[in-house]
Amino acid sequence: MNITKEQIDDLNAVVKVAITKEDYQDKVDTILKDYKKQANIPGFRKGQVPMGLIKKQYGKAVLVDEVNKLLQDNLNKYLTEEKLDVLGNPLPKQQDNFDWDQDELAFEFELGLAPDFEVSLKTKKAITQYKIVADDKMVNEQVERIQKQYGKLVSKDEVSKNDEVSGTFFNEAEEIDSKTMIETDKLKSKKALDALKGKKVGDVVTLKTKGLFKEDHMLSSALGIDKQKAEALDTEVTFTISEINEREAAELNQELFDKLFGPDSVKSEKELKERIKEDSEKQFEQQADQKLLNDVTEYFIENTKFELPTGFLTKWIQMTGEEPLSEEQAAEEYAKSEKGLRYQLIEGKIIRDNELQVQFEELKEFSKGFIRSQMAQFGQLDPKEEELDSIAARVLGNQDEVKRLSEQLMSQKLLNLYKEKANLKTKEVTYENFVKEVYG
C-alpha cells in the first residue's frame, strides 16, 4: 500500500491511496474459506460447495468490505502520523466506472485542513468585566421578603391593600375555572385593587385580565392557562373570594436566623444583611462571569482573522448529513455553523498554546463542588467527605457526565486565563443596572 498527499493550497489537499492484491488477498481468501465451510447451497453438502461458486456469490462483496476496512484504518493512521489537522472527515472523490478487478486499486480523498493562525489574549480593546454589588435597597427588600415568607397568616373579615386573598377565577367562554391565591400588593391595576378592597368571603368581583398583575407571567398561573394564551387575553373574569388573610411579618430574632442559616451562624440583623449581601454577590458573580466569557468569545470571533476551506466544508455537510442536501441547503447550513466552527478552532488554539488540561483529580473535586451545592439546597450543609467521594464516583462513572463536567471545568479554566491575561476594565454596578445594560 502506498499513500501520498498532493497539496492543493493551504487549506485543501488530496490524499491518494494505492492498494495492491498483496494488501488484501490473504484476508479475502481466509474469509471465503470460512464461507465455504458454513455455506448452505441447494445441491451441495455443507462444506462441499466449490470455491469457484463461493467466489462468484460472495467474492466481490468480501473484497469491497476488506478494502474499505484497509482504507479506513490506514488513512486514519496516515493522518495521525503526518499530524494533519483536518476539518470534518476525508471525502472520497467520485470515480466513475471503478473496476474492482484491477490488480492495483487507486483511491483519492479530499481533505479540508485547519488554518494556521495566532490568537492574542491581550485584546486591543478593553472588555468590560462587571462586578455586580447588592445595594442597600436590594438587601432591605430581601429582608422584607424573608420576613413575609416566614411570617404567620392572620385571618381577616375583609380585603385591604396588603392581603393574601384565595378564591376562584371563572370565565366560561375562555374555559377558565382556576382556584388560586393572589397577593393584593402584586396587582398592577388600581381598578382591580379598588374593586377588591372591603370585600368579604363569598363576594364576587369582576376583574379585567389586561394589566392585572405587575408581572405579566403571573396571569397564566393565576388563571390556569398557558403563557401564550394569557399574553393575548383581554377579557373580564369573575373572582369569588373564599379566604382572606394578612401575613404578619416574622420577627428578626435568633429563631429565624437559625432557621435560615443554622445554629448561631447569624446573630443580628446587621449580620443577616451582611450574609444576604455576600450570598447575593456570589450568585451575581456567576452571571458576571458568563457575560465576560460571552464577550471575550465574541471579541475573538470578530477579531481573529483566518480563512476556512469553505468549499470543502459545504460539500462535507452536503454528503454526510442524515438526509441528502442540495448545494443551496448545504451552503445555508454552513453559514449557520461557521461562527461556531471558528470559535471551536480559536478555543482549541488557546487551550493548546496555554497547555490547559483537565486532570482527573481536578474533575473529581469540581464534581464534588456541584454535589455540595445541590445538597445544600436540600438542607444538607455539612456532608461527610466519604459521602461526597461516593456520589462523585457514581457521577464520574457516567461518560456523558464526565464530558459535561469536563467542558464546564475547561470553560472555568479559560475564564481564569482571560481574567489573568486579557485587557479588561472593571465596572461596578447594581444588579438592576446590570440587567438594564446587558438585557436592555
Side-chain angles (χ1 to χ4, degrees), residues 87-98:
L87 301 177
N89 294 312
L91 287 178
K93 291 188 76 171
Q94 186 67 37
Q95 292 174 281
D96 297 327
N97 303 317
F98 188 81

Side-chain angles (χ1 to χ4, degrees), residues 109-237:
F109 295 87
E110 294 179 62
L111 301 182
L113 304 176
D116 187 23
F117 61 94
E118 297 299 322
V119 182
S120 173
L121 291 178
K122 198 68 176 175
T123 56
K124 292 180 181 179
K125 177 185 174 184
I127 297 171
T128 300
Q129 179 182 8
Y130 287 96
K131 177 176 172 54
I132 309 171
V133 296
D135 59 359
D136 290 343
K137 179 188 173 189
M138 170 175 277
V139 171
N140 290 333
E141 285 175 351
Q142 182 64 15
V143 170
E144 287 176 13
R145 277 194 290 271
I146 289 170
Q147 286 183 276
K148 191 172 182 179
Q149 180 183 348
Y150 287 90
K152 64 180 180 180
L153 289 176
V154 179
S155 180
K156 292 183 64 181
D157 292 330
E158 59 182 51
V159 180
S160 60
K161 189 177 180 181
N162 295 300
D163 292 338
E164 296 180 9
V165 186
S166 297
T168 303
F169 280 111
F170 182 79
N171 180 307
E172 186 174 6
E174 297 292 344
E175 299 181 337
I176 295 170
D177 188 359
S178 174
K179 290 182 178 180
T180 189
M181 186 276 291
I182 59 176
E183 299 173 62
T184 54
D185 63 352
K186 299 286 178 67
L187 293 172
K188 180 180 180 181
S189 168
K190 186 176 184 301
K191 284 185 179 180
L193 182 58
D194 289 342
L196 282 165
K197 279 182 182 178
K199 294 299 186 290
K200 300 178 180 181
V201 171
D203 287 347
V204 180
V205 183
T206 299
L207 305 171
K208 285 190 68 67
T209 58
K210 196 74 173 176
L212 182 58
F213 293 101
K214 292 177 180 176
E215 298 179 36
D216 292 339
H217 68 86
M218 296 178 70
L219 185 64
S220 64
S221 175
L223 300 184
I225 58 178
D226 65 55
K227 184 181 176 184
Q228 191 172 0
K229 181 178 178 180
E231 287 173 352
L233 194 64
D234 186 5
T235 188
E236 289 185 340
V237 290

Side-chain angles (χ1 to χ4, degrees), residues 51-70:
M51 180 56 78
L53 186 55
I54 294 292
K55 286 183 177 180
K56 185 176 180 180
Q57 280 200 290
Y58 305 110
K60 183 63 66 67
V62 172
L63 168 64
V64 171
D65 190 44
E66 286 307 309
V67 168
N68 280 327
K69 287 179 184 175
L70 269 176

Side-chain angles (χ1 to χ4, degrees), residues 297-421:
T297 298
E298 286 296 326
Y299 179 90
F300 284 143
I301 291 172
E302 292 299 321
N303 293 277
T304 307
K305 304 299 182 184
F306 53 81
E307 295 297 320
L308 287 170
T310 302
F312 169 84
L313 290 170
T314 303
K315 187 189 293 186
W316 179 72
I317 290 171
Q318 183 182 6
M319 295 179 66
T320 59
E322 292 182 7
E323 297 180 4
L325 300 177
S326 67
E327 286 186 22
E328 293 77 12
Q329 288 173 320
E332 191 176 322
E333 287 300 313
Y334 172 73
K336 290 178 186 175
S337 61
E338 182 184 2
K339 191 173 182 180
L341 174 58
R342 284 184 177 279
Y343 187 65
Q344 283 180 21
L345 292 170
I346 292 167
E347 186 182 80
K349 174 74 171 170
I350 293 170
I351 289 170
R352 289 191 300 275
D353 286 353
N354 293 277
E355 299 179 348
L356 300 181
Q357 295 180 338
V358 172
Q359 305 291 349
F360 180 77
E361 283 304 314
E362 287 180 305
L363 190 61
K364 182 179 175 182
E365 288 304 312
F366 189 66
S367 67
K368 283 162 70 174
F370 272 107
I371 295 163
R372 280 193 195 91
S373 298
Q374 290 176 335
M375 293 175 79
Q377 291 175 16
F378 294 96
Q380 293 177 264
L381 302 175
D382 191 24
K384 293 181 178 177
E385 201 65 23
E386 309 87 75
E387 186 179 7
L388 290 171
D389 284 334
S390 176
I391 298 172
R394 290 201 300 273
V395 169
L396 297 177
N398 182 318
Q399 288 306 305
D400 290 336
E401 283 297 300
V402 169
K403 182 175 183 293
R404 183 180 67 84
L405 289 168
S406 295
E407 288 172 353
Q408 290 182 0
L409 179 53
M410 183 54 76
S411 287
Q412 187 62 53
K413 285 175 173 280
L414 285 165
L415 180 66
N416 293 338
L417 180 71
Y418 299 153
K419 285 182 178 181
E420 178 188 347
K421 295 192 175 182

